[in-house]
Amino acid sequence: MNVSVQKQSDVVVIGDGIAGRTIARGLAERGLSVDIVCSDRHNPATLAAAGLLSPLPESVSGSAFQLTCLEARDGWLTWAELLRQETSVDLGLCTKPSLFPAFNDEERQAVDALRRRAIAASEGVESLSGDQVYEFVPTLAPGAVSGLLLTDEARVDPAKVMEALAHSLEVHSVLTHRDRAVKEIRIGQDQIELIGDDWQLECGHVIVACGAWSAGIEGLGMQGIVRPVRGQMIAFKADHTWSGCIRRGRHYALTRGDEIVFGATEENAGYEDTTTEDAGLELRDCAEALLPKLTWRKTLRQWSGLRPGSVDALPIVGPWLSNRITIATGTFRNGILLAPWLGQVVGDLVQHGEAKNLPPELSTARFTESRP
């Protein structure tokens, strides 16, 4: 029998990842009472992220999604400074450029295409000769024929961002109820009911920001629209003579403290979030091919997370089934990048019923308008 939780908040956010925490913080700043509910069994994808603030490589040139990613990146620096000032937590923000080396003709063509996209988007870009590549990363594998620097890119430490957000939620009196997996959502006449195994919570508005697990909530109808995509990463403890990020194909290497982090796999493994030996070997091979001096290093650690993919590979944001239910998921590899943008957009939707900076291509309307 369900036990009713008496406290009723203006808004309940489902999900304790960077999206859920950022949205909850933003709503609380607008004067709303906010609670977070989450399952301890659902590890946020945030902690398996690299923290890349990288708009171009993950989006299609000229698309509404690319413009949104650029807007999100531009707003990150201001948002990060405000969060740092509020919490005194260093977010690990690094504004060193990202390097895209090319070792063969196919990679050179891909780098040239990225350069054209960057110029079209008015992004900072610098073309490099093969020799100049090694001025940026002296320990890079030999044979680079050219390279590219994206000088407007940045990255943060996801763990430190989550720490800062935890402090901020305390400041704004946002309570987090752990071990509260939402099994079902019911739409009442005047409220939304969240149902768990042995609990029930009522609220005026619910934000579904639990990533890939959105599809498992009964009554929401997200099955087949959102899916988990496992990503695995490894880290070496290593001295390094460079800082920043190296991108090659779908893999990357970045420096973080005294570690070099490599990622990431993309695996359709359902909700299995354990690490695998095969993925570890794949990432280690990539690491050694890119930075051969790591060959003798032992892998320090390996970890994984489930990213929220969507049926059309785009974020899904907006009202769903009711004007008192808002969806914020499907961010896939861009959850860190889009978090502050999501906080602004969802806040506008809850407070005003619309968000001017939410393009139709990313809105829930692309699914709901086709429903009977």
Side-chain angles (χ1 to χ4, degrees), residues 12 16-17 39 41 51 59 94 123 135 171 192 212 252 271 275 332 337:
V12 171
D16 188 41
S39 170
R41 299 187 298 275
S59 58
C94 174
E123 285 288 276
E135 295 176 11
V171 170
I192 300 295
Y252 55 79
Y271 288 92
T275 59
F332 190 38
L337 171 65

Side-chain angles (χ1 to χ4, degrees), residues 178-211:
R178 303 198 176 280
D179 200 22
R180 298 265 183 181
V182 177
K183 302 293 185 181
E184 181 182 359
I185 292 179
R186 296 176 186 170
I187 303 173
Q189 184 173 354
D190 300 313
Q191 73 283 320
I192 300 295
E193 297 179 54
L194 307 181
I195 311 297
D197 283 335
D198 58 358
W199 61 276
Q200 178 176 319
L201 181 62
E202 296 180 352
C203 62
H205 199 114
V206 63
I207 312 298
V208 181
C210 52

Side-chain angles (χ1 to χ4, degrees), residues 253-275:
L254 59 92
T255 56
R256 183 171 292 156
D258 60 355
E259 291 184 351
I260 300 179
V261 176
F262 285 84
T265 63
E266 292 182 16
E267 308 164 63
N268 294 314
Y271 288 92
E272 181 59 61
D273 63 356
T274 56
T275 59

Side-chain angles (χ1 to χ4, degrees), residues 215-331:
I217 300 177
E218 185 178 342
L220 200 57
M222 295 294 290
Q223 297 89 344
I225 297 176
V226 180
R227 64 185 180 89
V229 182
R230 183 170 65 188
Q232 299 189 52
M233 303 170 68
I234 62 172
F236 297 88
K237 188 174 180 63
D239 298 328
H240 44 79
T241 57
W242 57 279
S243 62
C245 181
I246 309 170
R247 303 286 295 264
R248 187 183 187 189
R250 62 185 180 88
H251 292 111
Y252 55 79
L254 59 92
T255 56
R256 183 171 292 156
D258 60 355
E259 291 184 351
I260 300 179
V261 176
F262 285 84
T265 63
E266 292 182 16
E267 308 164 63
N268 294 314
Y271 288 92
E272 181 59 61
D273 63 356
T274 56
T275 59
T276 64
E277 182 179 357
D278 286 347
L281 291 173
E282 173 193 331
L283 293 172
R284 186 172 182 91
D285 287 346
C286 170
E288 293 177 355
L290 197 60
L291 298 166
K293 290 187 178 180
L294 289 175
T295 301
W296 58 275
R297 299 278 186 178
K298 290 184 178 180
T299 301
L300 179 64
R301 56 195 177 101
Q302 179 178 347
W303 65 103
S304 70
L306 300 179
R307 306 185 188 99
S310 70
V311 67
D312 60 2
L314 292 173
I316 306 171
V317 186
W320 188 264
L321 302 181
S322 164
N323 60 8
R324 286 181 276 111
I325 300 176
T326 300
I327 298 291
T329 188
T331 51

Side-chain angles (χ1 to χ4, degrees), residues 31-178:
L32 298 171
S33 60
V34 185
D35 284 336
I36 294 175
V37 295
C38 61
S39 170
D40 289 339
R41 299 187 298 275
H42 298 168
N43 294 325
T46 305
L47 298 180
L52 302 179
L53 308 181
S54 179
L56 292 186
E58 308 294 342
S59 58
V60 177
S61 181
S63 66
F65 183 43
Q66 178 179 282
L67 295 175
T68 297
C69 289
L70 289 167
E71 176 188 342
R73 191 276 318 280
D74 291 344
W76 239 101
L77 298 183
T78 300
W79 184 83
E81 179 58 21
L82 290 173
L83 185 60
R84 187 196 64 78
Q85 290 179 4
E86 180 183 72
T87 66
S88 299
V89 176
D90 177 9
L91 305 185
L93 177 66
C94 174
T95 57
K96 296 281 188 179
S98 293
L99 171 67
F100 295 76
F103 292 90
N104 53 52
D105 191 58
E106 181 180 356
E107 291 180 351
R108 181 186 59 77
Q109 292 178 23
V111 165
D112 286 344
L114 180 60
R115 178 184 60 81
R116 292 191 294 270
R117 288 180 57 202
I119 292 172
S122 300
E123 285 288 276
V125 60
E126 181 181 345
S127 295
L128 303 176
S129 67
D131 290 340
Q132 288 174 323
V133 166
Y134 295 98
E135 295 176 11
F136 187 75
V137 182
T139 55
L140 195 68
V145 294
S146 66
L148 186 74
L149 291 179
L150 290 186
T151 58
D152 291 334
E153 293 209 341
R155 57 216 59 88
V156 292
D157 185 334
K160 292 182 177 180
V161 176
M162 290 288 278
E163 178 188 350
L165 285 170
H167 286 294
S168 180
L169 294 178
E170 291 182 7
V171 170
H172 294 289
S173 300
V174 175
L175 297 179
T176 299
H177 304 274
R178 303 198 176 280

